[in-house]
Amino acid sequence: MLEIRNLHAGVEGAEILHGIDLTVNTGEIHAIMGPNGSGKSTLAQVLAGHEAYSVTAGEVIYEGQDLLDMDPDERAVQGVFLAFQYPVEIPGVNSAYFLRTALNAIRTAKDREEVDAIDFLALIRDKLKLVEMDEKFLKRPVNEGFSGGEKKRHEILQMAVLEPRLAILDETDSGLDIDALRIVANGVNTLHSADKATIVVTHYQRLLNNIVPDVVHVMLDGRIVQSGDKTLAMELEEKGYDWIKEEHATHSV
Amino acid sequence: MTGSKKNTRHTASNHASWIQKFESSLNGQSLRALRQRAIADFDRLGYPTTADEAWKSVNPSALIRPDYAPAAPATLADAELEPFIYPDLQGIRLVFVNGHYAPERASDIPEGITIANLGDVYDHPLVKAHLGKLAQTTDLAFTALNTAFMRDGVFIHVQPNIIVEAPVHILFITTASETPTISHPRNLIIADENSQLSLIETYAGTGTETYLTNAVTEIIARDNASVNCIRLELQNTKGLHVANFQAQLGRSSRMTFHDFTLGGAFVRNDVSAYLRGEGSEATVNGFYALEGSQQVDNYTLLEHAEPHCPSHELYKGILGGSSRAIFRGKIHVHQKAQHTDAYQQNENILLSDNARVNTKPQLEIYADEVKCSHGATIGQLDENAIFYLQTRGIPKAEARQILLRAFADDIIERVTIAPVRSHLSDLIDTRLEHIYAKDMA
């Protein structure tokens, strides 16, 4: 589904990603782990198409298409979704309006009929249950005054409404208490299926107790330095990142 | 500076002859003493220059043309009126064309409310007692001019305990003319004890040439009265607009004012609310959306003279092209006005590098127990918010539009008359799309 080849990217002339290679097949869940500053979030932002990051080399092929050639909204229409590490506040735009506009933007781009307010309400009620959120929530301005947990659950709610094929979760587990973590993980698991793919970017192994990855990658200094199955995540939890940093340093000598 | 001002001024005798000519055109109705005083004030003040404190940030010379002719009466075609009326509004309507009352366009007046063309009721005791009392001519040259040459406008008197359900919509429309014209709409509204009234003022132009509308509105809200005002300024792209809106609030009365400046080449709005009764409450909100070389100067005063009065003021603006907005908001709290709760905010979004905003709050507080806050922001659209919306499938242009709309909605949603709100909503949508398209082109 997704193939990243030798991706170099950075911000304001400073390169952050020094050649990422990653292949994600349909049906798989990949975890990308790594310490702060390793470039995990940059990779997520580049995949979503943030203008601040410029790609200097390499390519990203999504479903046979050049992903980097698409505007962020086109990527969303094609089924790419990024759950933000820091969801953005949008004062004056309530959640219901935001969700319906997004859903209809994607449907319109695909020449499908728009969902009216009544059908949308029926649809959203179902999705709210998944993230254990109250309907009152829909009247609040997007992310404004939301708690950390509410913001992350709201991201998963958006994912549930937009039904992407490739979901990228950028540290969706950071700053969550155990209940919110359970809700978020449950949401991700429910939304994942054999015809979709999920990339979970995380700092902590904790999330991977709830979302079981097929492949775990470790990122260090803008490179994927090691990949393995879920036992790699457990090893990291046990030994910390220092072990892999040393290992990587020896390798590169 | 005063010296140079004197040189460009017309002489007093010249003005006296204007007044004489003007009075004879009024068929005996006159308010002579008021007009004489006003013209004397104007003669002393002269047209404003940037040396005047109240005109410091903006050069008023664009407003001053020696060749203005009094706007002549004209009939308005249905199609010319249509864009400015609210089809779903069950209200009372009065239309003024080029400053002249158009009785054929007026709707029926319900019981319990006196509503008339001011030009027909100069002798009404309430008009005699109150006209010109709030809108003083001693330091405002354009108000002095209006007072000297006022002709028509609306006079409304709501009797005590009367709730006027139907909003009153007054429209001042200037039609096309080949030479620059001037008109001086003048309104006086008196809402007696426990009464309630909604008033919508629309100022618009149908032509493409320059003209000046110089309007004055005085509102007296007596004890426990409730007055809800909306003003919509839709002058044409060369239209010049000066408006002085003055409201006096009695004990426990409430006044809300929502101002929408969408048109005009140069617009100057003076808005003053005098909280002269204990526990009275004023809300003064404004929205402006500018493009090209439009200039808007909002000059507001909230005067707290009595205790326990809240006031709320929020002005928001969106500026494209090389437009310019000035906001000056003064809150004056008298020593006696303890427990004042005054809030003032001005927020601006600049869509182009050439647009400019000057914002200046001014707090004068003489009481000790007060809560006063003010703030101002000038910024661009939040790029991160645009990106966030885009990642949800919303195209960039639409994302920007959503953010601009949300910014404007903050004011639009405060308009309580539904048909007006929905009309405004459409109007502002179109306007924002237009401004946005121009700046992206």
Side-chain angles (χ1 to χ4, degrees), chain A residues 45 49-51 72-73 76 81-82 84 90-91 93 98 101-102 105-106 143 155 158, chain B residues 382-385 387-396 398 402-403 406-407 409 413:
Chain A
Q45 294 279 323
H50 198 297
E51 273 182 3
D73 48 298
F81 180 88
L82 171 67
F84 280 56
I90 308 185
V93 178
F98 165 68
T101 306
I106 290 175
N143 293 321
E155 292 293 291
Q158 292 168 48
Chain B
D382 181 356
E383 290 296 331
N384 284 320
F387 175 61
Y388 189 68
L389 291 168
Q390 275 190 282
T391 63
R392 284 4 180 193
I394 299 166
K396 193 171 194 171
E398 199 183 331
I402 287 171
L403 296 179
F407 181 80
D409 267 344
E413 281 173 2

Side-chain angles (χ1 to χ4, degrees), chain B residues 194-255:
Chain B
N194 303 311
S195 69
Q196 197 170 318
L197 174 75
S198 291
L199 177 75
I200 305 145
E201 289 181 296
T202 298
Y203 294 91
T206 59
T208 51
E209 291 307 312
T210 298
Y211 56 94
L212 171 63
T213 304
N214 176 30
V216 175
T217 297
E218 293 171 286
I219 295 198
I220 297 162
R222 297 201 204 273
D223 294 358
N224 207 35
S226 190
V227 182
N228 174 17
C229 304
I230 298 158
R231 184 172 69 188
L232 190 53
E233 186 277 301
L234 296 168
Q235 305 291 11
N236 76 28
T237 50
K238 285 190 188 168
L240 309 170
H241 186 82
V242 177
N244 184 8
F245 179 97
Q246 306 259 325
Q248 174 177 292
L249 283 77
R251 192 181 192 286
S252 302
S253 66
R254 295 157 301 281
M255 195 279 295

